[in-house]
Every structure is written in structure tokens, then in C-alpha cells.
């Protein structure tokens, strides 16, 4: 059994994350397109922005910080 | 001459009822061994007015053992179930003794499910009387006239459907609450050997589920950007802020183009439009709207509002508060109430206005309640000095009542349309043309009045500066006590009497963290476990179905025995299913508890050894708590910090801006403050220490002064 690299909960369907952080990652990735259209930010700028905004949900922030720290998660294809 | 026993719900109610029913208004309080009753005369009858203390009898399992399933129960004196309920013993004994020589029993408890059940159980188990021949007084206020009327026109039978519904509610709540809590608690105990009560229940489960779902929405929220346009101008030496016609601009590029096109340009007033609206008074209060309004204006928790309203009711100055009704019946003597209120200094001028206007037909709401009218003042003067809290709530209720007779408020909404080429900007104003009912509701209305500057069509403005500002969409709000209560009401979960308690219990069990109902790690662990293994407990369907069955009992469409039997069958199925997975459930709860305790007790990395973790430790010698390094036991690090000895501690996700040490929050009674673990040495906390020192001084000086006296 593997565990979420962020919170230690049981990992979701062979992912590195639990179901909450996995859902947060999915939301974060799918929202990028709208952000890109709205403000022409690069992926890295987008992640940086999410880390700075108070409105960002806690689980989304956890994932964004992990991406910022450079653990291998990259721009969605 | 016959001897009549009148059973009331509380000592205060007994006193008022005895006073109202005694011919000379001088009932005698007879005190006997820690309890009392009132002796009065009414015509040729001798009345003995006794009181309960809410419920005198509670359910207890008939088969011993702290395990599950436990399905059989019996009603026993409350002091046998609750160690703290010692006051109920002398009361039950006194009622037992007095009931021996009584000819007629009259139940005069509150007219609702709980009140009817309290009267029935007292009759059956304390008086050992036959409930079939007892009589029932029905009233909605404790004023003399209404009580006398209720006594003279009392019902010949008890309201048995209400009693059955109340009984089955207690039985089902007991069955679900006790069995499910034991399921979870024993799962933890059998897995880790810890005894920590992990509770859930028929309504608590779905409530937790609503909170968890909202928490997930907040935590998964990805904000989107949008831009707003801010435009200013100067007119007659006055700076004016204009509103851009489109509230949100979706892209940065569009926002920048608008700014480029408008900044420094001239716009003119194209038209000035006005629209008049009339606003009727709000309907009379029921418990839910009163709780919501009291939270909005005074910050009272719903349970507090209920307790304060109950106290005002017992003083006979407002009607019965546990009501769903937003209607005032035609039989209510409004003139008499207004006459009473007119004698009170604070309300006399308003009452005069109401009477002079001559419109004594109050605005009514939609909701009704067969047992009680909407909450209203009785017009009676308080018999005691009201506390500041009571004063506030009473004022709110009186002003709401007076506002029902007011005329509609008339508002004029003004909008000036300001144009530059195809761009449109607005300037808005709001004028109250007639205050109407708002005058009575006074401080509890928001007018947001805003005068429109002196402008005319064709006037020109220089738009400068014009800027764009980046904003973000907002996550849904977490619940507060009031919004959670409203949700429970909307979803028909619990009753008007139990909802406030459920809202409180979610917090007191540690499932949520603060007034914003942020789910704690323990709350998550419980929610996740129940969601995985017993989703029915979280579903509002199960409890809504039971509520419907209880309602059917009230409507005499079914009966208590059938409903109870079905509920037991469903519960047994759930418990059997659970038993098969006890190990897994235990493991998940234990992991969740470990995470919860860690989050409550760990205060980050040790600043001295940089290896250990700072934890809240309780000294086995002194019992006092302090912060120590986890490496202490290995004799590697002796770092400690003192802690306040009172209050509930929770580590915060931040460091002190003055010294960089970990911050934590202390909640002690109604006080809440944030400080750092280095608080005794921290340069930024000198003021806090000073204040603490002064408080200590005051506390020690007080007893010394009193001793000297």
C-alpha cells in the first residue's frame, strides 16, 4: 500500500497522492487553460500565483507548493 | 373540594402558573428536603403545583455491558443515568409522596413534543397515575390571563400522538447514538487499546457530512482571475467613484484595453433614471429566524439565543420560543400587548405611532405551527432586572413585533448612465423616501443610503484616473452556527429544539476547529471512515425517513411500536455489517486520531537541537503542561517552554513575527488569543505579559480587600 506524499493518507489508484490531493491536482491542471487565456501566464508563473493567492484551497496549495519545489510534476499535456 | 396536581416543566414555570391560578395571587411555596411545590386555592379546589427539571426520566439499557448491540431500554429516574443529575432525586421523591392523595392530575408542561413527554413520564413513573384520565393545559405564554384560560378550558385527555412521537424520538436517538458511538469507540479500543469516545448519531452523522462536503469544496478550490475597472472623476470639487457597467472583465488584455480607451477621456451624463420600490416588513419571528437574526446582530450562538429566549418566556414577557410559526393568530389580543408595551419607556413613543396609524393587522409569514404562534412579546413587564443579553434579545423581539404594523418602506434607486463612446459607466444613489416599518425595527435594518451628487443630464466628466485591478473568484464560505442551523432546518434534520444542541456537539467533540466550522483532522477521520464503511449514517435520507415516520405518528398514520421495530431492524443490519469490518474501521480511526493528536500537540521543529519535535507535555509530578523536545527522553535535548495552564491549545500554521518561534492559539472560556511558545521572552509580547501581570495583581488584591472588609 502506498501513501500520499503530502499528507500520508492512503494513495489513490496508484497515484502519488491521496484522493483529495489527486483531485486538487486534477483541478489545478484543468484550470490552467482558463488562467492562460485570461492572463497569458506560463505554467510556472501560474503555480507561483496559486501559491500566493489567499483564495487557493488548502489541498490545491499543498500540490502547488510541491510542484514549485520541483518534484517532477509538470505542465499538463 | 378536590385535590388537583398541576405538573409543570420547570421551577420558574411552576411559580408563574401557581401565581396565576391562586385566587389570592399568593401561592405558598412549601419546601421539602431539597425540593418544593406550590400550594394554592382556586375556587373549591386545592391545587398542588409541582415541577420537573426538564426530563426527570431517561432511557437506560436493560441488559448490562458497554457493548453493542443494545436494543432494549426502559425509562428510569435521570439520576440513575446521569451522575450529575442529583437534583432530580428529591423532586421525584416529593412528587411521588404528594401524588398519593390527588384526585385529578393536570399536565401543564410546554405544548410541544418534549413538554408532552415530560408530563407523561412524570405522571406515569413519578405519580404512578393513569395517563388516560389525566388532563392537559395548553398555552403559548405564561401570562396570568392565558394560564387561567388554559386551566378553565383544559383538554380532557393528553395529546397521545405527540407523546408517542416524543417517546419514539428518544428511543431511536438512544438506539442510534449509543450503538453507533460504541461501534466506533470499541473499534478504536480493540485496535489500539485507547479509550476515546468517538461519537455519531442519527442527525450528527448527516451534519458532519454537510460540513465535510463544504470543507472539501473550500480545500479543492482553484480561484480564477478576473479584472475590475476603477474610474474616478472630480465634479464640483468632489471626487466621485464611478462603476464600470461590466462588473467582471475576463481577460487582462480586455481590461488593459478598456483602461487605455477611458483614462483621461471625457464622458457625459447620458441619462438619470430613478426607480421606486416598496419593501414590506419582515414576517414575525419563529425560532429559526430569531436565532439567525440574533447571530447576525449580536453574534449569539443559536443555542444561546434559545436559552435566553426560554428565560424571557419563563418571565412571561415573550411567547413560547420553540415555534416554527411565522403567523400571529387573530385571537391574539394585540391591543392588550401594545397597551403593555406602551407603558415601557423604550417603546412608548413607537407604540403611540402604531396605535395612531390605526393599522392593527400585522404582516404574516408563510410558515405555521399547529401548537404555537410566532414569537411575540406579551406586553407584561419583566419581573426581574433583565441581563444585558436578555435586554438585547427582548429589544429585537419587541421591535420586530412593532415593525409588523408599520407601513412599507419606500426606496428610490437612482442611476446616472455616463457614456464615453460605446463605454458605459454608472453612478448610483439610494434614497429612503419613507422609512415605514424601518423606524420601528431601527438599529436592525440596514439602509445603505447614498445621495447622488448634484449632476444633470449632459454634464461632462474627465475620467481620471482609470485603473484595472486583478481580483479572484472566492471559495464557498464555511458554515457558521447560524447558516448550519438554517441548512438543518431546510433539510428537515432534527427539530427546532434539538438543532442548536447538535450544532454545538459537532464542535465540542473536536470534529470542527472554530466558529467557522473548519473540519479538524479528527472530523475528517470520522467522516472518511463512516463514508467508507457506513455511508448510510452520513446520509440525510435515513434520518429524514425517521423524521417522516415520527411525523406520521403525530398525524396518527402509524404508531410507535411499528416505527421502533423497523428502526431496530435497520440498525441491527448496519451493526452486523459493521462487525465484519471492525478491524479496518478501527485502523482508520486510530490513524485519524494519531493525526489529530499530532496536530493538537506538535509545535514544530525544536529550535535547539534541530532534530527533535516540540510537543505539549504534561508533567507526571505536577500535572502542569509545558512544551518540551521529543529528544528529551533520549537525554539529547533539554529545550522547554512554559505554557498557559488554562484553556484549549491549538498550534497555528504560522511563526511569530517578532521572534520567529511557533505560534499557537489559546481558547479559555469566551477568551481567545494567539501567542508564541517563546511568549515569556519574546520582545513583541511584553505588553501581553504586562496585562497578564496586572490581571494577576487584581485577582490577588480582590480577596485581600474582601478579607479586610
Amino acid at each position: 500500500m502506498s501513501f500520499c506524499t503530502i499528507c500520508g493518507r492512503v494513495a489513490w489508484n496508484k497515484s502519488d497522492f491521496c484522493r483529495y490531493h489527486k483531485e486538487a491536482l486534477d483541478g489545478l491542471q484543468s484550470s490552467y487553460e482558463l488562467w492562460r487565456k485570461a492572463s497569458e501566464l506560463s505554467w510556472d508563473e501560474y503555480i507561483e500565483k496559486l501559491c500566493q493567492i489567499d483564495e487557493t484551497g488548502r489541498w490545491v496549495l499543498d500540490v502547488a507548493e510541491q510542484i514549485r519545489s520541483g518534484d517532477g510534476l509538470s505542465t499538463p499535456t | 373540594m378536590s385535590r388537583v396536581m398541576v405538573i409543570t416543566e420547570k421551577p420558574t414555570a411552576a411559580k408563574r402558573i401557581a401565581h396565576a391560578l391562586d385566587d389570592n395571587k399568593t401561592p405558598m411555596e412549601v419546601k421539602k428536603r431539597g425540593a418544593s411545590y406550590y400550594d394554592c386555592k382556586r375556587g373549591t379546589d386545592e391545587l398542588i403545583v409541582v415541577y420537573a427539571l426538564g426530563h426527570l426520566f431517561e432511557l437506560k439499557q436493560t441488559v448490562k455491558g458497554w457493548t453493542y448491540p443494545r436494543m432494549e431500554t426502559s425509562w428510569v429516574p435521570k439520576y440513575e443515568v446521569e451522575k450529575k443529575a442529583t437534583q432530580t432525586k428529591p423532586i421525584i421523591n416529593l412528587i411521588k409522596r404528594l401524588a398519593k392523595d390527588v384526585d385529578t392530575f393536570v399536565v401543564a408542561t410546554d405544548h410541544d413534543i418534549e413538554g408532552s413527554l415530560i408530563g407523561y413520564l412524570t405522571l406515569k413513573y413519578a405519580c404512578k397515575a393513569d395517563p388516560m384520565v389525566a388532563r392537559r393545559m395548553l398555552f403559548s405564554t405564561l401570562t396570568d390571563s392565558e394560564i387561567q384560560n388554559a386551566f378553565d378550558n383544559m383538554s380532557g385527555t393528553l395529546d397521545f400522538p405527540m407523546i408517542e412521537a416524543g417517546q419514539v424520538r428518544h428511543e431511536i436517538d438512544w438506539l442510534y447514538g449509543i450503538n453507533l458511538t460504541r461501534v466506533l469507540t470499541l473499534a478504536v479500543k480493540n485496535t489500539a487499546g485507547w479509550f476515546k469516545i468517538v461519537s455519531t448519531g442519527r442527525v450528527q452523522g448527516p451534519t458532519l457530512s454537510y460540513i465535510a462536503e463544504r470543507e472539501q469544496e473550500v480545500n479543492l478550490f482553484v480561484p480564477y482571475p478576473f479584472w475590475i475597472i476603477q474610474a474616478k472623476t472630480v465634479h464640483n470639487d468632489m471626487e466621485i467613484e464611478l462603476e464600470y457597467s461590466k462588473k467582471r472583465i475576463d481577460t487582462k488584455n480586455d481590461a488593459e484595453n478598456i483602461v487605455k480607451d477611458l483614462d483621461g477621456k471625457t464622458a457625459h451624463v447620458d441619462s438619470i433614471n430613478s426607480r421606486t420600490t416598496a419593501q414590506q416588513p419582515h414576517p414575525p419571528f419563529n425560532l429559526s429566524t430569531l436565532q439567525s437574526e440574533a447571530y447576525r446582530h449580536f453574534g449569539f450562538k443559536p443555542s444561546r439565543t434559545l436559552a435566553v429566549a426560554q428565560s424571557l418566556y419563563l418571565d412571561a414577557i415573550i411567547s413560547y420560543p420553540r415555534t416554527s410559526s411565522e403567523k400571529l393568530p387573530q385571537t391574539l389580543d394585540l391591543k392588550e400587548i401594545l397597551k403593555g408595551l406602551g407603558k415601557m419607556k423604550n417603546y412608548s413613543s413607537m407604540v403611540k405611532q402604531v396605535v395612531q396609524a390605526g393599522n392593527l393587522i400585522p404582516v404574516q409569514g408563510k410558515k405555521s405551527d399547529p401548537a404555537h404562534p410566532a414569537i411575540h412579546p406579551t406586553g407584561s413587564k419583566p419581573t426581574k432586572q433583565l441581563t444585558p443579553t436578555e435586554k438585547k434579545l427582548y429589544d429585537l423581539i419587541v421591535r420586530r413585533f412593532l415593525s409588523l404594523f408599520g407601513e412599507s418602506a419606500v426606496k428610490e434607486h437612482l442611476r446616472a448612465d455616463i457614456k464615453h463612446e460605446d463605454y458605459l459607466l454608472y453612478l448610483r444613489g439610494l434614497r429612503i423616501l419613507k422609512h415605514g416599518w424601518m423606524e420601528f425595527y431601527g438599529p436592525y435594518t440596514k439602509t445603505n443610503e447614498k445621495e447622488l451628487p448634484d449632476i444633470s443630464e449632459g454634464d461632462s466628466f474627465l475620467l481620471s484616473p482609470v485603473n484595472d485591478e486583478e481580483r479572484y473568484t472566492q471559495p464557498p464560505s464555511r458554515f457558521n452556527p447560524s447558516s448550519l442551523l438554517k441548512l438543518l432546518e431546510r433539510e428537515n434534520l432534527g427539530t427546532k429544539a434539538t438543532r442548536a444542541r447538535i450544532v454545538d456537539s459537532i464542535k465540542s467533540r473536536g470534529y470542527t476547529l472554530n466558529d467557522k466550522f473548519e473540519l479538524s483532522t479528527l472530523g475528517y477521520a470520522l467522516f472518511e471512515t463512516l463514508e467508507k464503511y457506513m455511508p448510510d449514517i452520513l446520509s440525510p435520507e435515513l434520518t429524514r425517513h425517521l423524521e417522516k415516520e415520527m411525523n406520521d405518528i403525530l398525524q396518527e398514520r402509524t404508531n410507535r411500536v411499528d416505527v421502533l421495530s423497523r428502526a431496530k431492524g435497520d440498525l441491527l443490519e448496519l451493526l452486523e455489517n459493521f462487525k465484519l469490518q471492525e478491524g479496518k474501521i478501527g485502523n482508520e480511526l486510530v490513524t485519524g486520531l494519531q493525526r489529530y493528536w499530532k496536530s493538537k500537540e506538535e509545535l514544530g521543529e525544536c529550535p535547539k537541537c534541530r532534530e527533535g519535535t516540540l510537543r505539549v507535555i504534561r508533567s507526571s509530578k505536577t500535572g502542569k503542561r509545558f512544551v518540551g523536545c521529543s529528544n528529551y527522553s533520549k537525554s539529547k535535548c533539554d529545550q522547554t517552554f512554559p505554557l498557559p495552564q488554562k484553556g484549549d491549545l491549538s498550534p497555528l500554521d504560522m511563526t511569530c513575527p517578532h521572534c520567529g518561534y511557533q505560534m499557537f492559539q489559546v481558547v479559555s472560556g469566551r477568551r481567545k488569543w494567539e501567542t508564541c511558545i517563546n511568549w515569556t521572552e519574546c520582545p513583541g509580547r511584553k505588553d501581553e505579559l504586562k496585562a497578564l501581570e496586572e490581571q494577576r495583581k487584581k485577582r490577588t488584591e480582590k480577596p485581600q480587600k474582601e478579607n479586610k472588609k
Side-chain angles (χ1 to χ4, degrees):
Chain A
M1 191 185 283
S2 57
F3 296 95
C4 176
T5 52
I6 294 174
C7 68
R9 283 187 175 91
V10 177
W12 183 253
N13 280 354
K14 294 178 187 168
S15 129
D16 287 339
F17 294 143
C18 65
R19 62 171 170 146
Y20 300 130
H21 285 109
K22 174 74 175 70
E23 210 176 319
L25 173 67
D26 292 345
L28 180 149
Q29 288 179 332
S30 63
S31 301
Y32 173 57
E33 187 53 23
L34 203 141
W35 269 84
R36 201 183 55 76
K37 277 183 187 161
S39 52
E40 294 169 10
L41 292 181
S42 70
W43 170 257
D44 289 345
E45 286 167 337
Y46 164 61
I47 294 299
E48 188 60 40
K49 194 93 176 177
L50 285 185
C51 291
Q52 288 166 1
I53 299 172
D54 290 342
E55 288 82 355
T56 306
R58 187 186 293 169
W59 294 331
V60 178
L61 181 66
D62 290 341
V63 175
E65 280 176 346
Q66 183 136 338
I67 294 172
R68 189 172 61 171
S69 68
D71 82 330
L73 290 162
S74 59
T75 320
T77 50
Chain B
M1 179 166 144
S2 72
R3 223 167 123 81
V4 180
M5 178 180 275
V6 181
I7 299 166
T8 67
E9 200 164 319
K10 289 185 175 70
T12 336
K15 192 177 176 183
R16 289 212 72 87
I17 290 171
H19 180 267
L21 295 181
D22 187 62
D23 285 338
N24 299 320
K25 305 261 178 245
T26 51
M28 189 171 66
E29 186 179 8
V30 184
K31 292 185 179 173
K32 291 241 165 121
R33 294 178 205 160
S36 71
Y37 67 96
Y38 292 88
D39 214 347
C40 21
K41 292 267 178 296
R42 185 165 182 81
T44 56
D45 293 334
E46 185 197 346
L47 306 187
I48 307 160
V49 183
V50 295
Y51 54 80
L53 278 179
H55 277 284
L56 292 176
F57 295 87
E58 291 285 351
L59 287 167
K60 188 181 179 184
Q61 64 188 49
T62 46
V63 183
K64 282 189 176 177
W66 210 93
T67 182
Y68 67 91
R70 284 291 178 262
M71 294 283 153
E72 301 310 320
T73 55
S74 62
W75 291 98
V76 296
K78 194 171 180 178
Y79 56 82
E80 285 187 21
V81 184
E82 268 180 43
K83 281 182 188 167
K84 284 181 183 170
T86 49
Q87 283 173 303
T88 54
K89 195 171 185 174
I91 293 172
I92 294 173
N93 289 342
L94 178 67
I95 295 174
K96 263 185 195 168
R97 275 201 305 277
L98 292 169
K100 283 176 187 161
D101 317 312
V102 166
D103 303 309
T104 310
F105 290 93
V106 177
V107 172
T109 48
D110 294 340
H111 184 212
D112 59 12
I113 288 180
E114 288 307 312
S116 297
L117 184 62
I118 289 168
Y120 171 82
L121 294 172
T122 309
L123 257 179
K124 194 170 173 187
Y125 297 108
C127 303
K128 311 275 183 204
D130 180 4
M132 297 305 285
V133 294
R135 311 185 73 188
R136 181 73 161 112
M137 277 171 68
L138 303 173
F139 48 85
S140 289
T141 69
L142 286 172
T143 55
D144 287 359
S145 58
E146 193 162 340
I147 290 166
Q148 286 156 6
N149 188 40
F151 186 82
D152 295 339
N153 300 296
M154 68 177 98
S155 160
T157 58
L158 299 187
D159 27 27
F160 286 102
M162 235 184 210
I163 294 165
E164 284 219 320
Q167 221 174 328
V168 88
R169 176 183 297 284
H170 275 260
E171 285 163 332
I172 292 178
D173 282 351
W174 188 94
L175 286 170
Y176 274 76
I178 292 287
N179 283 292
L180 295 176
T181 299
R182 285 179 187 177
V183 156
L184 300 173
T185 307
L186 289 174
V188 171
K189 187 166 182 275
N190 295 339
T191 306
W194 310 328
F195 188 81
K196 152 88 184 156
I197 294 279
V198 184
S199 77
T200 188
R202 193 174 61 82
V203 184
Q204 202 182 313
T207 310
L208 180 72
S209 168
Y210 286 125
I211 297 170
E213 280 165 18
R214 178 62 59 89
E215 186 69 25
Q216 288 177 11
E217 282 175 46
V218 173
N219 287 339
L220 287 170
F221 187 75
V222 183
Y224 287 132
F226 65 91
W227 285 261
I228 58 159
I229 305 294
Q230 294 171 324
K232 284 182 182 170
T233 188
V234 175
H235 180 69
N236 292 344
D237 295 331
M238 191 172 73
E239 194 181 68
I240 301 171
E241 234 171 85
L242 302 171
E243 178 190 325
Y244 187 65
S245 56
K246 206 173 165 196
K247 282 193 174 144
R248 286 179 176 203
I249 313 296
D250 292 334
T251 70
K252 191 179 181 184
N253 196 28
D254 287 350
E256 283 171 353
N257 284 339
I258 294 168
V259 170
K260 206 163 65 190
D261 290 348
L262 286 180
D263 195 22
K265 305 283 165 45
T266 304
H268 68 276
V269 179
D270 187 59
S271 60
I272 298 176
N273 310 300
S274 111
R275 187 169 52 94
T276 310
T277 55
Q279 192 187 358
Q280 267 215 328
H282 299 301
F285 277 135
N286 60 17
L287 179 60
S288 162
T289 49
L290 174 68
Q291 284 171 319
S292 166
E293 199 77 337
Y295 181 77
R296 195 154 75 94
H297 295 293
F298 315 130
F300 293 173
K301 280 193 300 184
S303 54
R304 189 173 176 207
T305 299
L306 177 57
V308 177
Q310 179 73 17
S311 149
L312 297 176
Y313 162 71
L314 288 172
D315 202 19
I317 58 175
I318 66 162
S319 61
Y320 189 62
R322 286 185 178 92
T323 176
S324 316
S325 175
E326 291 176 329
K327 293 182 194 297
L328 295 174
Q330 284 182 345
T331 49
L332 200 66
D333 193 344
L334 296 170
K335 279 186 186 166
E336 199 55 35
I337 296 173
L338 288 168
K339 202 171 136 190
L341 292 175
K343 289 177 190 160
M344 296 177 197
K345 209 173 75 186
N346 291 352
Y347 309 114
S348 59
S349 67
M350 281 188 268
V351 170
K352 227 181 241 174
Q353 268 178 273
V354 169
V355 175
Q356 271 169 8
N359 170 32
L360 287 192
I361 302 167
V363 165
Q364 307 274 19
K366 284 180 187 160
K367 292 181 186 166
S368 59
D369 185 325
H372 297 283
I375 300 170
H376 61 272
T378 61
S380 301
K381 273 195 174 171
T383 55
K384 52 166 188 158
Q385 175 86 16
L386 296 184
T387 63
T389 310
E390 287 171 336
K391 266 186 199 164
K392 280 182 186 169
L393 200 71
Y394 183 65
D395 186 60
L396 181 65
I397 292 168
V398 173
R399 284 177 176 274
R400 180 74 158 226
F401 174 75
L402 293 173
S403 74
L404 303 175
F405 305 98
E407 289 182 278
S408 294
V410 182
K411 295 177 180 176
E412 186 187 26
H413 305 263
L414 296 155
R415 196 185 81 186
D417 288 3
I418 297 157
K419 275 188 174 172
H420 169 76
E421 294 174 359
D422 288 338
Y423 293 106
L424 180 62
L425 297 112
Y426 299 134
L427 186 56
R428 290 181 198 271
L430 175 70
R431 226 175 2 215
I432 310 284
L433 299 179
K434 190 162 80 180
H435 281 84
W437 61 271
M438 284 177 157
E439 267 182 58
F440 303 130
Y441 207 39
Y444 311 114
T445 51
K446 266 189 188 165
T447 52
N448 295 331
E449 233 174 332
K450 190 182 162 195
E451 281 292 327
L452 199 64
D454 184 19
I455 54 170
S456 316
E457 283 179 19
D459 283 355
S460 296
F461 299 122
L462 176 70
L463 303 174
S464 179
V466 180
N467 296 308
D468 61 299
E469 192 183 305
E470 188 173 350
R471 298 267 173 98
Y472 307 99
T473 50
Q474 296 292 309
S477 307
R478 287 194 170 90
F479 290 109
N480 60 38
S482 169
S483 59
L484 187 56
L485 199 80
K486 270 190 187 163
L487 176 81
L488 295 184
E489 193 191 3
R490 203 168 58 235
E491 296 295 325
N492 199 19
L493 294 175
T495 69
K496 48 191 177 283
T498 58
R499 285 179 198 124
R501 211 172 46 228
I502 291 159
V503 168
D504 280 357
S505 74
I506 288 277
K507 201 174 151 196
S508 66
R509 292 281 181 199
Y511 301 152
T512 59
L513 290 173
N514 43 37
D515 277 348
K516 281 275 155 205
F517 285 87
E518 190 179 335
L519 207 63
S520 69
T521 43
L522 180 59
Y524 261 117
L526 180 59
F527 169 73
E528 286 166 2
T529 311
L530 291 175
E531 194 187 32
K532 200 165 172 185
Y533 299 102
M534 289 197 275
D536 285 350
I537 300 302
L538 294 174
S539 158
E541 287 313 313
L542 174 83
T543 193
R544 212 180 276 145
H545 171 70
L546 287 170
E547 297 282 348
K548 190 188 162 292
E549 297 232 84
M550 282 180 247
N551 200 35
D552 285 348
I553 297 177
L554 272 179
Q555 308 293 328
E556 299 185 64
R557 288 195 285 257
T558 183
N559 62 67
R560 173 185 153 259
V561 177
D562 288 352
V563 171
L564 195 58
S565 157
R566 282 196 290 272
K568 281 183 182 177
D570 293 346
L571 179 61
L572 272 174
E573 208 175 296
L574 266 176
L575 296 175
E576 274 165 24
N577 195 16
F578 167 81
K579 194 79 186 171
L580 300 171
Q581 311 183 76
E582 192 187 86
K584 285 183 198 165
I585 294 175
N587 274 328
E588 295 207 10
L589 284 175
V590 165
T591 314
L593 273 168
Q594 280 170 328
R595 223 183 284 142
Y596 173 65
W597 283 324
K598 192 176 162 191
S599 71
K600 290 282 281 181
E601 289 170 3
E602 290 195 355
L603 289 149
E605 185 189 64
C606 173
K608 192 172 179 184
C609 67
R610 300 271 170 208
E611 280 177 11
T613 307
L614 292 179
R615 285 205 179 114
V616 178
I617 300 168
R618 204 166 272 281
S619 160
S620 54
K621 278 184 193 166
T622 62
K624 290 191 171 175
R625 64 184 177 189
F626 61 96
V627 175
C629 177
S630 58
N631 274 342
Y632 178 77
S633 54
K634 296 173 203 158
S635 306
K636 277 186 178 172
C637 181
D638 60 357
Q639 177 72 63
T640 58
F641 296 96
L643 278 176
Q645 293 305 312
K646 280 185 182 171
D648 191 23
L649 302 180
S650 22
L652 295 170
D653 200 12
M654 58 199 272
T655 51
C656 177
H658 308 292
C659 64
Y661 282 83
Q662 172 80 34
M663 298 277 291
F664 63 95
Q665 188 187 58
V666 190
V667 181
S668 178
R670 282 189 200 167
R671 283 185 62 222
K672 185 160 75 176
W673 72 97
E674 290 172 2
T675 189
C676 62
I677 53 171
N678 186 37
W679 59 294
T680 52
E681 304 295 328
C682 175
R685 313 227 166 252
K686 296 280 178 213
D687 292 343
E688 284 174 25
L689 279 173
K690 241 187 208 172
L692 197 71
E693 201 54 48
E694 275 170 20
Q695 269 180 6
R696 273 189 199 142
K697 252 188 195 172
K698 272 185 195 168
R699 269 204 297 270
T700 47
E701 276 169 9
K702 248 189 189 174
Q704 279 172 0
K705 275 182 191 169
E706 277 164 15
N707 286 343
K708 275 179 191 173
K709 277 180 191 171

